[in-house]
Amino acid sequence: MKEAAEDEWATCTPSTGIEDTNYTVKRLRENAEYNFRIRAMNIAGHGEHVELPMSVKAAEILEAPEIELDNALRKIVNIRSCSTLRLFVTIKGRPEPEVKWSKEGGTLNERAQVEVSSAYTVLLIENVNRNDTGKYVLTAENYSGSKSAFINVRVLDSPTAPTNLEVKDVKRDSVLITWEAPLIDGGAKISNYIVEKREEARQTFTNVCSSCVRNSYKIENLQEGCFYHFRVLAENEFGVGLPVETTEAVKASETPLTPGKMTLVEVTCNSVRLSWEKPKNDGGSKITGYIVEMQAMGDDTWTVCSEIKALEATINGLTKGKEYYFRVSAVNEKGRSEPKSLLVPVNIQDNTAEPTINLMSNTFSVKTGNDLKIDVPFKGMPLPIVAWIKDGNVLKETSRVNVQTSDTSSQIVIKDATRTDVGVYKVTVTNSAGTKSEEIFVNVFERPGPPSDISVDEVSADFVSLSWQPPIYTGGCQLNNYVVEKRDASSTIWQTVSATVARTSIKIARLTQGTEYQFRIAAENRYGKSQFVDSDPVVAQYPFKPPGPPTNLYVAHASKSAMVVAWSKPDLDGGSPIIGYHIECKDQSSILWTQLNRSPLTENQFKVTSIEEGLIYEFRVSAENMAGVGPCSKSSEAVAARDQCDPPRNLTVTNITNASVSLSWDKPEYDGGAKIIGYIVERKELPDSCWLKCNFTNLLETFLEVTGLTEDAEYDFRVVAKNSAELFSAPSDTTGAVTVKHDVDPPKMVLEDRFKQLVVVKAGDLLRIDADISGRPNPTVSWLKNGRLIGTKGRVEVSITNTHTSLLIRESVRKDSGQYILTLQNTGGSLSKVVNCKVLDRPGPPAGPLEVSGLTAEKCTLAWAPPQESGGAEIMYYIVEKCETSRVAWTLVYGDMMATTCKIAKLLKGNEYLFRVKAVNKYGDGEVLESEPVKALDPFTIPSAPTDVEVTSATNEAMTISWKRPASDGGSSISGYIVEKREKQGLRWPLLYVKDVSMNLEFLLRMRLE
């Protein structure tokens, strides 16, 4: 290539050439003109050039956007419901146009997916429905202009709901409803409509008409006065569409019919009293009142003179001597009926007389079951109104009690008289001239009413005292007596206690202790006995009452598999000790309580395991004593069966400045089965502020510096943990009051009181020393035993936090006894405290060495010292054993040696022995102290033989032998000599006493030292 103004050609392809037949030349100068030529190349070399016929200007070619729609897209695109709509459109334009899809009259569905490339665009909607019907507009736009095209899409589906459903005409047994066609017909002509109705009290609709072809329908055969809902559904060839329903219930009712016969009751000089009958039909809605209108003679207008709910009205303020027309209309919630008119005009004139009553007697009596008629004659002008009152209330007419009133008398008829008819009847006759009243007393003779208010005044093991109130109604005559009966609760047979009780109390004796009884009482007069009235069941026992309800019921612990419920004793035990408790539970959404224990619980807590994870439970408890089970406590707060993480531990203030407090804490011991994902730190300004959050982002660390605090103010802090199950722990223990100011506190430690005395543990048990520590800055902690520093090693574990330190020794032994010193030190000073510990164990070995003294061939003496480690208990005795070195087994010599020395006898001469000793205390046998091997030999040897033995003289009866002392006495002084003899031809040397020497024998003599 070369620029048109230059002569030199430049190669723009790589030196190796290109294999394609097209190539894009880059790095040209904008708006510059260039000439291009091309030649082929093979292994033999380059071919001839071919030039483009004209120069090319390096400038952007702009083309306006173009949209090419397929013929199928130019028509209406029909697609079935639940299918996938795919609109593929080819586009052109330089630069590449920006493509936008939209829907006319709305926005694209969220399910719509749009794909755009330089040459085409695709609109994809999966699972289309009737709402996807409409005109879709495609717009392509670049610098050269814009182009739009639209595609009509019709989704073939059931139609949408009809519109503008209205209730036009409501009658007492029919309703006319109208509506308009659906906005979307589902791509097919509406074939018909389905009309349905539903009573307000029901949940389901019933079909009225399934083939309505008009946009209105009259629904008939409705129940008068009922409330209905109506709905309409459109149907096409693809199915039934969505329903449209009336928003409010419609009552099937209409205006009432005209009132019945209208009567002129009374006329005075300025008023008229009218009466009328109810309409034959109220139109399906309750009559709410009546409107009375009047019209003066010669006048054309009707005037409302009374609005009343009764069936009569008095019209006052009329002009004497003038004539009036009257009419009345009934009113219900639908409106006003046609009026009912008085046929003739009413002439207003005065014609009055005060009413009178002529009674022969005002007291009437009747036996129960008989009929009673009371006739009350009266007079008066205008005609009086008669009213009956019984015991201060308006007399109610029933099927038994009827009042019949004529123009001259009023008669009350009581059929089958009962005690309810007893009382004072008051008859009142009233007209415009006055009022007259008379009282009539009615008495009915019959059996009395039952006694009332039976109470158990006293209960013991063998008697019960009862009292009661006399009957309210005595049967019209005096009572004779009361009848008292009893029965065992296990029996259905009643036994008479007394049939002649004159008073309203009785003491019933000879009862069986522990038996439940029920009593009943009846009153009796000359007409018979009343009905019995039963007492509550009574147990013949000492006067204990069931206990009150337990108090302070709460769920002490809850998890997904178990809950621990605890409570306190009732405030009242009923006079008898509590023997147990009964616990019940229920799901919060249920009303049924379930008993959890079969036998009474003796403890004040119970572990419930029969729960389901995630449900919310409530509990209640009742106490039981000798008198029975008392009332249940209030139910506990609802608690979910779900693991809750423990609160953070060891919340400590690590540093304080004049504007901040640094806190640290330990993770909860239990995370509730889900990982701890954060902490919430809260503060409260003392004394009266509320708890406020200190961190508004998730805190993962177990420390936080709370800033923005007020200098010299006091704050309290706490921490709440949160796990991945979105459950929060209970708040941790608070730090207590913290004053915001620079401060240095010397070390402090708090030990339990038991550590201030000698700490005693059994061997093998855990030895633990705990101390709460504090100080600013955090003090350095060190543990020492008998002056030597202790660290974590083997059985020993030393734990140190900012607020607590502990020394833990597992499987303690007697060597762990001793003095332990805890030392705290910081810049504010140092502090040490001593804890003395004793481990109760078997004793150590006796103090050695085990000395063997006085050794001979048959015996020896052993000596030792008491053990240095007694095991925390007094040495009771020692066990001494021996063993020949040639054997394995040890032989017991002494099993209860009290002293620290002993003699060992019965040794075998020449044998080598080992001896051992062990101490015994109340915890067992101690370790042994063993001696060195010793041989059982005398400490001296036998003497050597006497020398120079000779017979110095001999007679027939005796001989005298003499000798010299042995050369060696064996290490011990000579204690004596033994003289033996034998005959010359003999072999045995019997012991010789010199005086027995025979004269007639020749002897050979020898001596042995003893």
Side-chain angles (χ1 to χ4, degrees):
M1 73 172 184
K2 71 179 183 66
E3 289 192 22
E6 296 182 356
D7 297 330
E8 186 176 351
W9 292 87
T11 301
C12 53
T13 58
S15 59
T16 57
I18 60 174
E19 294 181 357
D20 296 331
T21 58
N22 59 75
Y23 184 73
T24 301
V25 182
K26 300 180 179 179
R27 298 181 182 178
L28 302 180
R29 289 191 302 111
E30 188 175 359
N31 295 324
E33 290 190 2
Y34 292 88
N35 291 331
F36 296 91
R37 66 183 184 183
I38 304 169
R39 59 178 175 176
M41 179 177 69
N42 60 13
I43 58 175
H46 297 282
E48 295 293 328
H49 294 97
V50 58
E51 279 192 44
L52 291 180
M54 61 180 65
S55 60
V56 179
K57 188 175 183 180
E60 186 75 30
I61 298 176
L62 300 179
E63 293 182 7
E66 292 184 9
I67 299 175
E68 297 180 3
L69 294 178
D70 292 343
N71 291 333
L73 299 182
R74 297 180 186 274
K75 304 175 183 179
I76 296 178
V77 178
N78 293 316
I79 186 170
R80 289 300 298 267
S81 174
C82 299
S83 300
T84 300
L85 173 66
R86 185 174 185 274
L87 302 179
F88 181 89
V89 181
T90 303
I91 58 173
K92 294 180 180 180
R94 288 190 180 182
E96 183 178 326
E98 180 181 351
V99 176
K100 180 179 180 183
W101 285 90
S102 62
K103 185 179 179 184
E104 192 175 77
T107 59
L108 277 180
N109 194 302
E110 293 180 353
R111 294 177 286 105
Q113 303 175 30
V114 177
E115 180 183 350
V116 179
S117 71
S118 60
Y120 64 89
T121 179
V122 178
L123 174 64
L124 186 68
I125 303 177
E126 296 180 348
N127 196 21
V128 294
N129 55 45
R130 66 175 69 86
N131 296 321
D132 295 319
T133 298
K135 181 185 289 187
Y136 289 84
V137 180
L138 171 62
T139 303
E141 184 177 1
N142 62 11
Y143 297 127
S144 298
S146 65
K147 182 73 173 179
S148 295
F150 65 87
I151 303 170
N152 287 311
V153 175
R154 178 165 57 195
V155 178
L156 303 180
D157 195 359
S158 58
T160 58
T163 59
N164 299 330
L165 177 62
E166 295 181 1
V167 179
K168 291 292 187 181
D169 187 15
V170 181
K171 299 293 184 181
R172 65 185 181 186
D173 61 351
S174 64
V175 167
L176 177 65
I177 60 174
T178 63
W179 61 89
E180 294 181 6
L183 296 177
I184 300 175
D185 60 5
K189 182 180 178 181
I190 302 296
S191 59
N192 60 278
Y193 294 94
I194 299 173
V195 181
E196 297 177 332
K197 69 177 180 180
R198 171 176 72 85
E199 293 183 26
E200 187 177 36
R202 298 181 181 274
Q203 298 294 324
T204 58
F205 281 87
T206 58
N207 187 281
V208 177
C209 178
S210 59
S211 59
C212 180
V213 295
R214 296 178 298 171
N215 285 25
S216 64
Y217 188 80
K218 184 176 182 180
I219 304 173
E220 299 179 332
N221 300 323
L222 300 180
Q223 187 174 348
E224 184 177 339
C226 283
F227 287 86
Y228 289 90
H229 288 272
F230 304 97
R231 72 178 184 183
V232 180
L233 305 89
E235 185 176 6
N236 64 8
E237 63 178 284
F238 301 110
V240 179
L242 300 175
V244 59
E245 184 178 342
T246 54
T247 57
E248 296 181 355
V250 179
K251 186 175 184 181
S253 61
E254 62 182 352
T255 58
L257 298 180
T258 60
K261 181 181 177 181
M262 189 173 185
T263 306
L264 176 63
V265 178
E266 179 186 356
V267 180
T268 68
C269 62
N270 61 358
S271 66
V272 169
R273 186 153 64 92
L274 305 170
S275 67
W276 56 89
E277 297 176 355
K278 290 182 178 180
K280 291 184 179 180
N281 190 287
D282 60 6
S285 184
K286 183 180 178 182
I287 301 294
T288 59
Y290 298 91
I291 298 175
V292 182
E293 299 174 297
M294 70 178 182
Q295 183 186 62
M297 180 73 76
D299 196 351
D300 294 333
T301 59
W302 289 89
T303 305
V304 176
C305 55
S306 179
E307 294 184 8
I308 193 168
K309 293 184 178 181
L311 294 176
E312 65 176 21
T314 300
I315 314 302
N316 296 310
L318 304 179
T319 304
K320 186 176 182 181
K322 200 171 183 179
E323 291 184 344
Y324 293 88
Y325 292 97
F326 295 92
R327 69 181 185 183
V328 63
S329 302
V331 179
N332 66 7
E333 66 178 9
K334 291 296 183 179
R336 181 171 167 180
S337 72
E338 293 294 325
K340 180 72 172 180
S341 299
L342 198 62
L343 298 179
V344 295
V346 179
N347 188 12
I348 306 302
Q349 58 183 358
D350 195 3
N351 186 14
T352 62
E354 186 175 352
T356 60
I357 298 176
N358 300 316
L359 270 176
M360 297 299 292
S361 173
N362 66 345
T363 301
F364 296 85
S365 297
V366 64
K367 190 175 180 180
T368 181
N370 295 342
D371 296 344
L372 175 64
K373 293 183 180 180
I374 303 173
D375 193 18
V376 180
F378 63 86
K379 294 180 181 180
M381 281 299 294
L383 185 64
I385 298 173
V386 181
W388 286 87
I389 295 176
K390 179 179 181 292
D391 297 331
N393 297 316
V394 176
L395 179 65
K396 294 182 179 180
E397 294 189 49
T398 65
S399 59
R400 288 192 317 103
V401 179
N402 293 288
V403 176
Q404 300 172 359
T405 303
S406 65
D407 293 343
T408 59
S409 67
S410 181
Q411 185 183 67
I412 181 171
V413 179
I414 302 176
K415 297 178 181 179
D416 300 327
T418 65
R419 72 180 63 179
T420 59
D421 300 321
V422 175
V424 179
Y425 292 78
K426 184 178 180 181
V427 59
T428 302
V429 291
T430 305
N431 66 9
S432 59
T435 302
K436 181 65 175 177
S437 298
E438 289 289 346
E439 289 187 346
I440 301 171
F441 300 92
V442 175
N443 192 18
V444 178
F445 296 129
E446 67 162 342
R447 296 182 303 170
S452 60
D453 299 335
I454 295 181
S455 64
V456 180
D457 297 332
E458 186 177 0
V459 179
S460 188
D462 58 352
F463 73 87
V464 171
S465 295
L466 302 177
S467 64
W468 59 90
Q469 295 297 322
I472 298 175
Y473 177 63
T474 63
C477 59
Q478 186 176 0
L479 295 177
N480 294 339
N481 56 272
Y482 296 96
V483 178
V484 180
E485 296 181 351
K486 71 176 181 180
R487 74 173 178 90
D488 188 341
S490 61
S491 173
T492 59
I493 301 174
W494 290 92
Q495 300 175 353
T496 301
V497 177
S498 176
T500 59
V501 179
R503 295 179 297 175
T504 57
S505 63
I506 187 173
K507 182 176 181 179
I508 304 172
R510 298 180 182 178
L511 302 180
T512 303
Q513 183 176 359
T515 302
E516 186 178 43
Y517 291 94
Q518 191 172 17
F519 306 93
R520 67 180 185 180
I521 303 170
E524 188 172 12
N525 64 8
R526 62 181 179 178
Y527 294 103
K529 286 192 297 187
S530 70
Q531 293 181 347
F532 281 94
V533 59
D534 295 350
S535 71
D536 293 331
V538 178
V539 178
Q541 61 182 10
Y542 293 105
F544 301 140
K545 296 181 180 179
T551 59
N552 302 327
L553 177 63
Y554 65 98
V555 178
H557 173 72
S559 69
K560 65 182 180 182
S561 58
M563 292 187 182
V564 178
V565 183
W567 58 88
S568 300
K569 293 182 178 179
D571 295 332
L572 299 174
D573 61 4
S576 174
I578 302 297
I579 62 175
Y581 298 92
H582 300 274
I583 183 169
E584 298 174 299
C585 79
K586 75 177 184 70
D587 184 359
Q588 188 183 35
S589 61
S590 174
I591 61 173
L592 299 178
W593 291 90
T594 302
Q595 183 84 19
L596 295 178
N597 59 308
R598 295 183 178 178
S599 58
L601 303 173
T602 57
E603 298 183 354
N604 286 35
Q605 66 176 17
F606 183 72
K607 184 176 182 181
V608 183
T609 57
S610 57
I611 59 176
E612 294 185 24
E613 182 178 357
L615 293 184
I616 301 176
Y617 290 91
E618 296 178 0
F619 300 90
R620 68 181 185 185
V621 180
S622 57
E624 182 180 0
N625 64 6
M626 294 297 294
V629 180
C632 292
S633 65
K634 293 181 179 179
S635 58
S636 67
E637 293 186 1
V639 177
R642 183 179 295 123
D643 285 343
Q644 183 182 24
C645 61
D646 292 342
R649 302 173 294 128
N650 302 329
L651 177 61
T652 307
V653 178
T654 58
N655 190 33
I656 302 177
T657 68
N658 58 354
S660 67
V661 172
S662 296
L663 305 172
S664 69
W665 58 90
D666 294 338
K667 291 182 178 180
E669 288 189 3
Y670 178 58
D671 60 8
K675 182 181 179 181
I676 300 298
I677 61 172
Y679 300 92
I680 298 174
V681 181
E682 297 177 326
R683 72 171 186 269
K684 179 171 73 171
E685 188 171 357
L686 300 177
D688 299 326
S689 181
C690 59
W691 289 99
L692 301 175
K693 282 187 178 182
C694 298
N695 60 304
F696 294 95
T697 58
N698 193 31
L699 180 63
L700 298 176
E701 295 82 9
T702 56
F703 55 87
L704 178 69
E705 181 181 6
V706 182
T707 59
L709 304 180
T710 304
E711 188 173 3
D712 294 328
E714 286 190 343
Y715 293 88
D716 201 357
F717 299 90
R718 68 184 187 185
V719 181
V720 176
K722 177 183 178 184
N723 65 16
S724 58
E726 297 297 327
L727 294 178
F728 293 90
S729 72
S732 68
D733 294 336
T734 63
T735 59
V738 177
T739 304
V740 181
K741 62 180 180 180
H742 287 294
D743 196 8
V744 175
D745 288 341
K748 295 179 183 178
M749 74 173 72
V750 178
L751 289 169
E752 295 182 16
D753 292 341
R754 64 188 181 93
F755 295 125
K756 297 178 182 178
Q757 303 173 359
L758 179 65
V759 179
V760 179
V761 296
K762 290 183 179 180
D765 289 351
L766 182 71
L767 173 59
R768 185 183 185 120
I769 304 174
D770 292 281
D772 293 329
I773 61 175
S774 61
R776 289 193 191 87
N778 292 331
T780 302
V781 181
S782 60
W783 287 88
L784 294 92
K785 180 191 176 188
N786 300 331
R788 298 180 62 184
L789 189 64
I790 304 174
T792 299
K793 184 178 180 181
R795 296 181 298 107
V796 181
E797 179 181 340
V798 176
S799 173
I800 301 173
T801 67
N802 293 336
T803 59
H804 187 81
T805 182
S806 64
L807 173 63
L808 184 67
I809 301 178
R810 296 181 179 86
E811 299 177 0
S812 57
V813 297
R814 61 177 167 270
K815 291 182 180 180
D816 297 323
S817 300
Q819 187 181 73
Y820 294 85
I821 301 175
L822 172 60
T823 301
L824 307 180
Q825 186 172 6
N826 68 1
T827 55
S830 63
L831 177 64
S832 297
K833 287 192 178 181
V834 176
V835 178
N836 292 309
C837 298
K838 177 188 286 187
V839 179
L840 303 179
D841 195 2
R842 297 177 300 173
L850 180 57
E851 296 181 354
V852 180
S853 61
L855 179 66
T856 69
E858 297 180 352
K859 61 184 178 179
C860 67
T861 301
L862 302 181
W864 62 89
Q868 294 180 354
E869 298 172 353
S870 65
E874 182 181 359
I875 301 298
M876 296 187 296
Y877 54 86
Y878 296 92
I879 296 175
V880 181
E881 297 174 310
K882 68 179 180 179
C883 175
E884 297 180 21
T885 57
S886 61
R887 298 178 180 268
V888 178
W890 288 86
T891 304
L892 178 67
V893 180
Y894 296 100
D896 55 353
M897 176 58 62
M898 305 298 295
T900 56
T901 62
C902 68
K903 290 184 178 181
I904 308 297
K906 298 181 180 180
L907 300 179
L908 297 178
K909 183 176 181 181
N911 284 0
E912 189 176 45
Y913 288 92
L914 291 173
F915 302 96
R916 68 181 184 185
V917 180
K918 54 185 174 183
V920 179
N921 64 8
K922 64 179 180 179
Y923 300 109
D925 300 351
E927 298 178 16
V928 299
L929 173 65
E930 194 170 314
S931 70
E932 294 292 331
V934 295
K935 185 173 284 190
L937 295 173
D938 289 327
F940 46 85
T941 61
I942 60 176
S944 59
T947 59
D948 300 334
V949 178
E950 62 180 350
V951 177
T952 56
S953 66
T955 65
N956 60 350
E957 294 180 352
M959 75 175 40
T960 302
I961 302 171
S962 64
W963 59 86
K964 292 183 180 179
R965 295 178 62 85
S968 171
D969 60 6
S972 178
S973 60
I974 300 299
S975 59
Y977 294 92
I978 296 173
V979 178
E980 295 176 329
K981 70 176 182 178
R982 75 174 173 86
E983 292 181 6
K984 187 174 181 179
Q985 292 81 14
L987 298 175
R988 296 179 60 253
W989 289 86
L991 180 67
L992 175 68
Y993 297 98
V994 175
K995 63 182 179 180
D996 293 333
V997 174
S998 176
M999 291 268 310
N1000 300 320
L1001 297 176
E1002 182 179 353
F1003 289 93
L1004 294 178
L1005 303 177
R1006 71 176 185 184
M1007 294 176 290
R1008 185 178 64 194
L1009 182 62
E1010 184 180 42

